[in-house]
Amino acid sequence: MYKAAIFDMDGTILDTLSDLCNAINYSFEKAGHKHDFTIDETKTLFGSGVDVAIKRGLAMEMGFTEDDLLSIGTDHECSKIKTDSSELSKIKAIYKPYYEENCAIKTGPFPGINNVVENLRKAGIKTAVVSNKPNEAVLKLCETHFKNLFDVSIGEMEGVARKPAKDMTLKAIESLNVSESETVYIGDSEIDILTAKNAGLNCICVDWGFRSSDFLIRNNATVIVSDAMELFNEITK
């Protein structure tokens, strides 16, 4: 049994899609861009932080394929995608305060997640959240939906490389005072699989989030669970 469990946020413990979709459409509309992103399109945009989401949105507006979009923010980013850095900054300046203010309107925990975290803590397992969401939003959402359930909550912040870099995750491990071998990482995307690998952690993927089981398997997922009880059993076995 592990001594610590580190959770991704969007698509793993929280269903944030509606609020993300609303915020990305609001900020793109205010900046004079495409602003009819669907829920499914929003799944493609997010996973690697707001900068990547905005760049993917602009690339989607230009007609790039889903594979091209998902390459953004990775080491094999499509070289044909050129976006204006000033537009990125303009949209981000609209998005961040709007999302921070409106991040908890339709957002809520996935079924059974609160019980999973509560029971992990009862079993003596430490818990953390590591997310590419802005740190302010992570703290607000944890306070709203998971009050006192996580020992550590870390979002994107200056000076700490975002996932899939290992920095945020290792920061959480240090704060939890556990070792990598004692810790498991839980997420819903290819970014989470890479994050776990880069941090030297075992990874459990959930299939109720932003990526399908087939996609996760193609991206080297080794353990995939489909409900909260299965997740708890996998962590504590």
Side-chain angles (χ1 to χ4, degrees):
M1 186 169 70
Y2 294 105
K3 292 186 178 180
I6 298 178
F7 294 83
D8 169 56
M9 180 168 270
D10 290 1
T12 300
I13 59 173
L14 277 182
D15 183 355
T16 56
L17 272 172
S18 292
D19 287 335
L20 288 173
C21 186
N22 176 57
I24 204 75
N25 280 325
Y26 175 88
S27 55
F28 269 60
E29 180 179 17
K30 292 297 182 183
H33 289 277
K34 166 185 166 66
H35 53 277
D36 58 351
F37 296 104
T38 66
I39 290 292
D40 282 341
E41 287 173 336
T42 302
K43 287 182 180 181
T44 300
L45 300 185
F46 284 91
S48 298
V50 62
D51 289 355
V52 172
I54 292 170
K55 189 171 182 179
R56 285 176 177 171
L58 291 172
M60 186 179 289
E61 182 181 43
M62 291 184 279
F64 283 92
T65 67
E66 183 176 17
D67 286 343
D68 290 336
L69 298 176
L70 291 174
S71 77
I72 296 172
T74 72
D75 292 337
H76 55 278
E77 184 168 321
C78 176
S79 60
K80 296 178 182 178
I81 299 175
K82 306 293 182 184
T83 51
D84 186 338
S85 60
S86 64
E87 281 300 291
L88 286 168
S89 297
K90 180 171 74 173
I91 296 170
K92 184 177 180 181
I94 300 168
Y95 176 91
K96 286 193 71 175
Y98 181 84
Y99 183 69
E100 184 178 347
E101 181 67 24
N102 297 277
C103 65
I105 295 173
K106 295 183 178 179
T107 288
F110 285 105
I113 286 296
N114 289 64
N115 286 337
V116 167
V117 181
E118 288 171 0
N119 288 327
L120 289 176
R121 292 174 65 85
K122 289 177 183 177
I125 297 173
K126 298 177 180 179
T127 57
V129 172
V130 172
S131 172
N132 277 337
K133 298 174 81 65
N135 193 56
E136 298 82 0
V138 170
L139 297 177
K140 178 177 179 178
L141 288 167
C142 281
E143 176 68 17
T144 300
H145 297 290
F146 306 106
K147 191 174 179 65
N148 300 322
L149 284 184
F150 290 104
D151 299 293
V152 176
S153 301
I154 298 174
E156 185 179 30
M157 62 185 75
E158 291 292 331
V160 183
R162 64 172 175 80
K163 300 186 298 180
K166 62 185 179 181
D167 303 46
M168 299 168 76
T169 306
L170 293 185
K171 183 178 176 70
I173 289 172
E174 181 179 1
S175 297
L176 294 171
N177 194 29
V178 292
S179 68
E180 287 88 338
S181 63
E182 297 170 326
T183 306
V184 64
Y185 186 94
I186 302 101
D188 70 306
S189 75
E190 72 282 6
I191 298 301
D192 297 310
I193 295 168
L194 286 172
T195 298
K197 179 181 178 181
N198 291 338
L201 307 181
N202 290 333
C203 183
I204 300 170
C205 290
V206 305
D207 67 2
W208 56 71
F210 288 11
R211 305 288 186 263
S212 68
S213 290
D214 288 344
F215 182 92
L216 293 169
I217 291 168
R218 292 197 302 271
N219 282 270
N220 303 312
T222 55
V223 179
I224 302 174
V225 299
S226 298
D227 60 52
M229 181 57 68
E230 192 178 0
L231 174 59
F232 178 79
N233 291 338
E234 190 66 39
I235 296 171
T236 56
K237 71 178 184 181

